[in-house]
Amino acid sequence: MSNHQLEELPRPTGAPDRVSLAIAGDDPGAVDTVAELVDDLGFDPAPFGTLEESDMLEADSAVFGQPLDQHQLRRALGIARAA
């Protein structure tokens, strides 16, 4: 996500056009902490998986740099249910 997107895309919790950010990590507590930060920044957190699985979030992936809402992001990453 670019600095311009970080400035332009934040929305209040529950906004229908709120962009979602995927979070990957091996420590559930750390993932929860980052999810709170992502929410505070104005984005929907989408816990995704482990650091080993995080290659699906890297440059040249289908979701990298894409302003996707929670449903679009979850579908693209194959996440079956909402967090």
Side-chain angles (χ1 to χ4, degrees), residues 1-2 4-11 16-22 42-44 61-76:
M1 182 166 287
S2 74
H4 296 292
Q5 289 173 313
L6 286 172
E7 293 173 356
E8 297 168 2
L9 297 177
R11 301 287 187 272
D17 61 341
R18 197 172 199 214
V19 171
S20 189
L21 298 180
F43 301 93
D44 282 331
S61 72
V63 299
F64 185 80
Q66 301 300 313
L68 305 173
D69 68 28
Q70 190 172 128
H71 302 290
Q72 294 167 326
L73 179 61
R74 290 181 178 285
R75 191 170 33 253

Side-chain angles (χ1 to χ4, degrees), residues 39-78:
D39 185 48
D40 289 347
L41 289 172
F43 301 93
D44 282 331
F48 166 64
T50 66
L51 291 178
E52 187 173 320
E53 299 167 306
S54 67
D55 60 336
M56 291 182 67
L57 309 176
E58 293 178 358
D60 297 325
S61 72
V63 299
F64 185 80
Q66 301 300 313
L68 305 173
D69 68 28
Q70 190 172 128
H71 302 290
Q72 294 167 326
L73 179 61
R74 290 181 178 285
R75 191 170 33 253
L77 293 173

